[in-house]
């Protein structure tokens, strides 16, 4: 038997409303009653309005594009597809695009062909809805071609001019992209040397009459000599005449003349042989001399005055050398080595306006002795070729043993740390990881064109270890970040020693192995490969500037009439500050003014320093010029440490202790700072605590949960709650916006757990002084229905 029943929607709504309902068939007879299973029925629908529609965008070439789309609410849930100019977008045919689980369309690197109208389409069994079209325009900013060669000088003789040009075709601006900034033609003065024709000098006097009855006279083509392509002198340079009016009678030479000639020849031969013997003896003696012994005047001719003495009783090997920058230095091209049998490392003194004697060469300053454990670890690393250049002390190096729980490495007082998130190391693996700060002079970093070093050079390793999650390397930088002024690149050194660009900031691809969060004074590098890194900037305009920290130091105790004020010009980073503070502690110096920051621009102008208003009745300046100067390239390349100038003042009387003067530091046609010095040199220490370094007794390596501010269980609950997409927007995207990280959404979306990436970055930025309450408030403000997700019980702890 087959039974049918027709039920209208109006009948059902009167009884059940719009909720889900069910139908059931009942059959009965004299033998009893039986029921069928329940058939549940839901009313399918699809609302008209999208919860979020894609918006129009203008992006530059190769930049990532994210077009969000949240379909209308419906039963069953709507399926989403994307149209590009009414053509279906198929990620399987175009690897440059993909659709996220939240239905957002992501273009990894924008191409000119991606300029189109994009439409989000939602459909189910009820209806098909289209969002408003979003116009995406991919523009290309213009770029200059390379300069042509300089033209020939306009003047063939004397001063003229020459020019070169470039065009805005590399690439040409497209789709509203910006035109190239700057000039397309450059002119410069030139001078072509004028040719000078040669002219004869006056004739010499006639020679004595010879045996052949002739005498001669000569002249030279030297009044003036021909140069710059001028004509040679015309005529002969030797004039010969008969000196006896042709009455000369030639007579044969007698035996006496023959004997005289033979004797002269014999004497000449003996003299030549004697000279050869002397030269041979001299060369052999010179080979036996020690080539490593040099006259000390070579070393001291560029410094006035020079004192080589122990600065403290407990450190007899410390050399104190104070440079006088008003004196031109002398270059010694040989090598200086200590007297010993075996081979030893050598160093060269370089020439230039400013040397760096306080920290260069062989005089390495250690503020503490390395522990035996650290020395054993460093010696173990140094047996491998890649680690030959690791520092042999422990003040700028830390290491630890880590597993899947993660941890953190920090070099105290440098702003350098390495965050190893949980599960970054595969389970079952244990790695011994190190973190090292290098001195620029120890690592050869090639810089091209207008490039400059903006950060310390940092190594983390060992290279080649397997990581399943990115670690975060934090380090300071001294650049004034501006996309219009800088082109910033992250460089990494390969195991063969060559440096390569692994990341161009602002042009990161979401799936890239490296990513960087750049802030005002620090950068945070996401990397899945350990190695040696440095942040390098290339100035795009003269507005590009580096932050310099200006520090004034003077002796704590002055026992002579002379008093030296040292002005340091450093990168505005914690590691550079730490090196100078430790150096001045060794030298017995103290800070005498608050540090100032100076913005040093890429204008090719030097940095000048001068001292003024010195009371002549109490003090006398020994500076012989009006100002001292540090060359532009010494500062801009960023590889020279301890750049400073010394101002030497002389007291009129030993009882003079009050000093009042002004010291100016400025870049020619640029920024400047003025220091007003007014203190007592014998007892004034009010600025001594400004640069007090944090205690070195902290733990540089933290392993497991103690390395993180967020408790592990709360972290896991936040990740499991915010990773899945939420129709109300209470997911990881909203958390990124609250933490001002919404510019990195495409990078976070490319990772298996976007929330984990956000929390890792928060840990790297806010350890150890981060406010956990603010993070909790941001998470709680997302409107998650289960507030218990973000709390743990005492038993769970």
């Amino acid at each position: 038997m087959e039974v049918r029943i027709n039920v209208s929607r109006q009948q059902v709504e009167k009884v059940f409303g719009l909720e889900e309902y069910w139908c059931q068939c009942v059959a009965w007879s004299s033998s009893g009653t039986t029921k069928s299973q329940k058939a549940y029925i839901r009313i399918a629908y699809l609302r008209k309005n999208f919860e979020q529609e894609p918006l129009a965008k203008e992006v530059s070439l190769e930049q990532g594009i994210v077009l969000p789309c949240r379909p209308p609410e419906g039963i069953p849930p709507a399926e989403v597809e994307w149209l590009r100019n009414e053509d279906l977008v198929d990620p399987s045919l175009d690897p440059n695009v993909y659709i996220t689980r939240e239905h957002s369309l992501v273009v990894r690197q924008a191409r000119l062909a991606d300029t189109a109208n994009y439409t989000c389409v939602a459909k189910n069994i009820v209806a098909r809805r289209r969002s408003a079209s979003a116009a995406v325009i991919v523009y290309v900013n213009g770029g200059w071609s390379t300069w042509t060669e300089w033209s020939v000088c306009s003047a063939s003789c004397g001063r003229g001019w020459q020019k070169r040009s470039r065009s805005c075709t590399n690439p040409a601006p497209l789709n509203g992209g910006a035109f190239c900034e700057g000039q397309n033609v450059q002119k410069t003065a030139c001078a072509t040397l004028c040719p000078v024709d040669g002219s004869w000098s006056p004739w010499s006097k006639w020679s004595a009459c010879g045996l052949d009855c002739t005498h001669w006279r000569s002249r030279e083509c030297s009044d003036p000599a021909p140069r710059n392509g001028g004509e040679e002198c015309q005529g002969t340079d030797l004039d010969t005449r008969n000196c006896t009016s042709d009455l000369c009678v030639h007579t044969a030479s007698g035996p006496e003349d023959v004997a005289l000639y033979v004797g002269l020849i014999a004497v000449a031969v003996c003299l030549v042989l004697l000279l050869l013997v002397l030269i041979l003896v001299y060369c052999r003696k010179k080979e036996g001399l020690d080539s490593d012994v040099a006259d000390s005047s070579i070393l001291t001719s560029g410094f006035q005055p020079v004192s080589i003495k122990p600065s403290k009783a407990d450190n007899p090997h410390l050399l104190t050398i104070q440079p006088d920058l008003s004196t031109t230095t002398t270059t010694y091209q040989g090598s200086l080595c200590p007297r010993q049998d075996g081979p030893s490392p050598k160093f060269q003194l370089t020439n230039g306006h400013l040397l760096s004697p306080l920290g260069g060469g062989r005089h390495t300053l250690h503020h503490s002795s390395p522990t035996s454990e650290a020395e054993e670890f460093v010696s173990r690393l140094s047996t491998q070729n890649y680690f030959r250049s690791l520092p042999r002390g422990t003040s700028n190096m830390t290491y630890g043993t880590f597993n899947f729980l993660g941890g953190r490495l920090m070099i105290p007082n440098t702003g350098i740390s390495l965050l190893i998130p949980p599960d970054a190391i595969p389970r079952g693996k244990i790695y011994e990881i190190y973190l090292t700060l290098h001195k620029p002079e120890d690592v050869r970093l090639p810089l091209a064109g207008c490039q400059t070093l903006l950060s310390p050079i940092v190594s983390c390793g060992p290279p080649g270890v397997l990581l399943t999650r990115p670690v975060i390397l934090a380090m300071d930088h001294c650049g004034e970040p501006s996309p219009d002024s800088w082109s910033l690149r992250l460089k990494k050194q390969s195991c063969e020693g060559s440096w390569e660009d692994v990341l161009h900031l602002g042009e990161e691809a979401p799936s890239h192995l490296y990513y960087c969060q750049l802030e005002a004074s620090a950068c945070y590098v996401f990397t899945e490969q350990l190695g040696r890194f440095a942040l390098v900037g290339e100035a795009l305009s003269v507005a590009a500037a580096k932050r310099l920290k200006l520090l004034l130091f003077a002796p704590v105790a002055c026992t002579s009439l002379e008093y030296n004020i040292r002005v340091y010009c450093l990168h505005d980073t914690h590691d550079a500050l730490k090196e100078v503070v430790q150096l001045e502690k060794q030298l017995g110096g103290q800070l005498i003014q608050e540090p100032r920051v100076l913005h040093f621009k890429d204008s090719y102008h030097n940095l000048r320093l001068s001292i003024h208003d010195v009371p002549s009745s109490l003090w006398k300046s020994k500076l012989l010029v009006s100002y001292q100067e540090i060359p532009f390239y010494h500062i801009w390349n960023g590889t020279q440490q301890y750049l400073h100038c010394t101002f030497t003042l002389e007291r009129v009387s030993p009882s003079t202790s009050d000093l009042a003067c002004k010291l100016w530091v400025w870049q020619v046609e640029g920024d400047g700072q003025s220091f007003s010095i007014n203190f007592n040199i014998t007892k004034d220490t009010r600025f001594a605590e400004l640069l007090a370094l944090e205690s070195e007794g902290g733990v540089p390596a933290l392993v497991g949960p103690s390395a993180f501010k967020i408790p592990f269980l709360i972290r896991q609950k936040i990740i499991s709650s915010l990773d899945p997409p939420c129709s109300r927007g209470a997911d990881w995207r909203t958390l990124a916006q609250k933490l001002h990280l919404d510019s990195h959404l495409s990078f976070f979306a490319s990772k298996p757990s976007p929330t984990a990436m956000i929390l890792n970055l928060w840990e790297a930025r806010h350890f150890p002084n981060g406010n956990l309450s603010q993070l909790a408030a941001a998470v709680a403000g997302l409107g998650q229905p289960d507030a218990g997700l973000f709390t743990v019980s005492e038993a769970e702890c």
Side-chain angles (χ1 to χ4, degrees):
M1 180 182 295
E2 181 177 339
V3 179
R4 295 178 182 271
I5 184 172
N6 293 324
V7 181
S8 67
R9 179 173 178 177
Q10 289 77 11
Q11 291 173 324
V12 175
E13 288 182 353
K14 290 179 180 179
V15 180
F16 300 103
L18 296 177
E19 300 298 327
E20 179 183 275
Y21 67 92
W22 51 267
C23 296
Q24 188 177 39
C25 182
V26 181
W28 71 93
S29 67
S30 59
S31 300
T33 302
T34 182
K35 297 180 180 180
S36 70
Q37 64 180 2
K38 296 178 181 180
Y40 289 89
I41 301 172
R42 290 182 297 172
I43 304 299
Y45 68 93
L46 182 62
R47 300 193 185 278
K48 293 183 178 181
N49 297 325
F50 281 74
E51 295 186 4
Q52 185 179 8
E53 291 186 309
L55 300 177
K57 287 189 176 183
E58 293 185 1
V59 297
S60 63
L61 191 66
E62 296 184 353
Q63 182 180 345
I65 305 174
V66 178
L67 295 177
C69 176
R70 291 184 182 175
E73 181 182 355
I75 294 177
E79 298 178 356
V80 174
E81 60 186 17
W82 282 88
L83 302 179
R84 179 197 287 135
N85 288 341
E86 302 303 323
D87 293 330
L88 181 65
V89 177
D90 189 355
S92 62
L93 301 178
D94 188 356
N96 192 44
V97 300
Y98 66 92
I99 300 175
T100 66
R101 292 178 298 177
E102 298 81 21
H103 312 301
S104 297
L105 179 65
V106 177
V107 181
R108 291 183 172 90
Q109 289 184 323
R111 303 158 298 190
L112 290 176
D114 294 321
T115 299
N117 292 322
Y118 291 84
T119 307
C120 181
V121 179
K123 62 181 179 179
N124 63 5
I125 61 175
V126 176
R128 175 186 173 95
R129 312 290 189 198
R130 291 167 57 97
S131 70
S133 295
V136 174
I137 298 177
V138 180
Y139 62 87
V140 179
N141 291 327
W144 289 115
S145 64
T146 57
W147 288 102
T148 61
E149 297 293 332
W150 287 104
S151 64
V152 180
C153 192
S154 62
S156 59
C157 175
R159 294 184 60 84
W161 57 268
Q162 55 186 160
K163 67 178 181 178
R164 63 177 182 175
S165 61
R166 58 181 178 176
S167 59
C168 189
T169 56
N170 188 30
L174 291 174
N175 296 337
F179 195 77
C180 302
E181 294 184 358
Q183 299 177 345
N184 63 341
V185 177
Q186 282 186 345
K187 289 187 178 181
T188 184
C190 59
T192 305
L193 298 176
C194 297
V196 177
D197 295 336
S199 179
W200 290 113
S201 63
W203 286 103
S204 64
K205 294 182 178 181
W206 289 101
S207 65
C209 194
L211 297 176
D212 57 352
C213 302
T214 62
H215 61 173
W216 53 270
R217 62 178 181 175
S218 63
R219 58 180 179 177
E220 295 179 350
C221 188
S222 60
D223 190 23
R227 60 180 181 271
N228 305 328
E231 296 291 338
E232 293 286 342
C233 300
Q234 300 296 324
T236 62
D237 58 351
L238 186 66
D239 183 19
T240 304
R241 292 183 182 179
N242 190 292
C243 55
T244 61
S245 300
D246 296 328
L247 299 178
C248 180
V249 178
H250 295 280
T251 59
S253 299
E256 297 84 359
D257 295 335
V258 174
L260 175 62
Y261 294 149
V262 171
L264 291 175
I265 294 173
V267 171
V269 171
C270 292
L271 290 176
V272 170
L273 293 176
L274 179 61
L275 181 60
L276 292 176
V277 171
L278 292 177
I279 292 175
L280 181 61
V281 172
Y282 174 75
C283 292
R284 289 185 177 180
K285 286 186 178 181
K286 186 177 181 180
E287 291 177 358
L289 293 177
D290 187 359
S291 61
D292 291 333
V293 179
D295 186 4
S296 62
S297 63
I298 297 176
L299 301 178
T300 59
S301 60
F303 299 91
Q304 299 292 334
V306 176
S307 60
I308 304 179
K309 59 183 180 181
S311 62
K312 291 185 178 181
D314 58 348
N315 198 349
H317 302 292
L318 182 65
L319 298 183
T320 303
I321 307 178
Q322 300 173 354
D324 182 1
L325 300 180
S326 62
T327 306
T328 303
T329 59
T330 302
T331 304
Y332 174 58
Q333 301 294 342
S335 59
L336 301 177
C337 300
R339 293 280 295 168
Q340 57 186 20
D341 297 334
S344 61
K346 299 184 178 183
F347 67 93
Q348 278 192 339
L349 293 176
T350 59
N351 59 344
H353 185 76
L354 179 66
L355 298 182
S356 177
L358 295 178
R362 296 286 303 280
H363 311 299
T364 305
L365 305 177
H366 297 284
H367 68 280
S368 61
S369 60
T371 62
S372 60
E373 180 185 3
E375 287 180 338
E376 188 272 334
F377 177 71
V378 174
S379 64
R380 185 167 68 256
L381 289 178
S382 63
T383 59
Q384 307 178 35
N385 291 333
Y386 181 77
F387 306 109
R388 296 293 184 187
S389 60
L390 287 180
R392 295 303 187 262
T394 58
S395 62
N396 288 332
M397 181 178 184
T398 182
Y399 65 95
T401 304
F402 302 92
N403 58 11
F404 72 95
L405 292 176
R408 188 188 305 264
L409 289 174
M410 297 174 292
I411 302 179
N413 306 316
T414 62
I416 300 172
S417 66
L418 180 69
L419 178 72
I420 307 168
D423 291 324
I425 298 176
R427 292 177 180 263
K429 299 286 187 179
I430 298 178
Y431 294 156
E432 190 174 43
I433 297 179
Y434 66 86
L435 182 65
T436 304
L437 168 64
H438 297 274
K439 293 184 177 180
E441 63 267 22
D442 295 337
V443 179
R444 183 174 179 83
L445 174 63
L447 298 176
C450 300
Q451 288 184 340
T452 177
L453 181 64
L454 297 178
S455 75
I457 301 176
V458 180
S459 289
C460 54
V465 297
L466 175 64
L467 297 175
T468 58
R469 298 286 189 275
V471 299
I472 301 179
L473 175 64
M475 54 186 177
D476 290 348
H477 69 85
C478 64
E480 280 294 309
S482 172
D484 299 329
S485 302
W486 286 104
S487 173
L488 301 177
R489 300 177 186 271
L490 181 69
K491 285 184 175 287
K492 181 176 181 289
Q493 189 177 27
S494 64
C495 295
E496 292 77 18
S498 61
W499 288 86
E500 57 185 8
D501 296 338
V502 295
L503 181 64
H504 188 180
L505 273 66
E507 299 181 5
E508 305 94 335
S511 59
H512 205 277
L513 291 176
Y514 307 93
Y515 201 83
C516 182
Q517 157 76 3
L518 185 69
E519 298 187 354
S521 59
C523 60
Y524 301 90
V525 179
F526 292 80
T527 175
E528 298 182 21
Q529 295 182 356
L530 303 183
R532 184 171 297 166
F533 297 93
L535 183 66
V536 172
E538 182 174 1
L540 300 180
S541 68
V542 294
K546 297 172 64 173
R547 296 189 314 276
L548 299 184
K549 180 83 77 174
L550 305 178
L551 304 173
L552 273 62
F553 282 92
V556 174
C558 182
T559 58
S560 64
L561 294 179
E562 289 188 353
Y563 189 74
N564 295 320
I565 299 176
R566 293 182 289 275
V567 186
Y568 288 88
C569 304
L570 316 171
H571 282 176
D572 187 16
T573 57
H574 286 86
D575 61 290
L577 181 63
K578 172 185 176 181
E579 293 291 334
V580 169
V581 171
Q582 291 181 346
L583 177 62
E584 282 294 332
K585 283 185 178 180
Q586 298 285 347
L587 297 176
Q590 65 170 340
L591 188 70
I592 62 173
Q593 275 290 312
E594 288 190 27
R596 304 279 181 85
V597 174
L598 182 141
H599 292 85
F600 191 78
K601 292 186 176 182
D602 181 23
S603 61
Y604 298 97
H605 291 298
N606 298 338
L607 190 70
R608 291 181 178 178
L609 305 93
S610 61
I611 191 167
H612 305 272
D613 300 339
V614 179
S616 57
S617 59
L618 300 176
W619 297 85
K620 181 176 67 174
S621 174
K622 302 189 71 175
L623 186 64
L624 301 180
V625 293
S626 58
Y627 58 83
Q628 300 190 63
E629 197 167 59
I630 301 179
F632 169 81
Y633 289 102
H634 285 191
I635 299 176
W636 193 253
N637 61 16
T639 59
Q640 298 196 24
Q641 286 190 312
Y642 315 126
L643 284 177
H644 72 285
C645 289
T646 300
F647 292 92
T648 302
L649 304 178
E650 185 176 4
R651 292 185 288 181
V652 176
S653 170
S655 61
T656 301
S657 59
D658 292 325
L659 175 61
C661 62
K662 288 185 178 181
L663 198 147
W664 292 350
V665 182
W666 76 100
Q667 185 182 15
V668 180
E669 299 184 8
D671 191 18
Q673 290 288 357
S674 173
F675 295 88
S676 296
I677 301 174
N678 190 356
F679 75 111
N680 188 294
I681 66 174
T682 59
K683 57 185 179 181
D684 197 339
T685 59
R686 63 181 182 271
F687 300 105
E689 300 300 324
L690 289 178
L691 295 182
L693 293 179
E694 299 175 4
S695 173
E696 297 282 349
V699 181
L702 297 174
V703 181
S706 63
F708 305 96
K709 292 282 291 183
I710 307 173
F712 182 76
L713 291 179
I714 293 181
R715 170 190 170 92
Q716 295 303 107
K717 288 189 175 185
I718 295 176
I719 292 174
S720 61
S721 176
L722 299 186
D723 270 351
C726 181
S727 60
R728 293 182 303 275
D731 56 11
W732 62 270
R733 291 177 177 80
T734 309
L735 177 62
Q737 293 174 356
K738 287 180 175 289
L739 298 180
H740 308 291
L741 300 175
D742 46 336
S743 60
H744 308 300
L745 291 182
S746 59
F747 170 71
F748 297 146
S750 66
K751 300 303 176 183
S753 175
T755 309
M757 293 295 103
I758 297 174
L759 297 181
N760 293 342
L761 181 55
W762 187 91
E763 289 277 7
R765 296 169 66 192
H766 297 90
F767 191 88
N769 301 319
N771 191 334
L772 199 57
S773 300
Q774 293 181 355
L775 177 63
V779 174
L782 298 180
Q784 283 284 346
D786 187 4
L789 287 173
F790 311 117
T791 59
V792 292
S793 64
E794 183 177 355
E796 288 177 317
C797 291

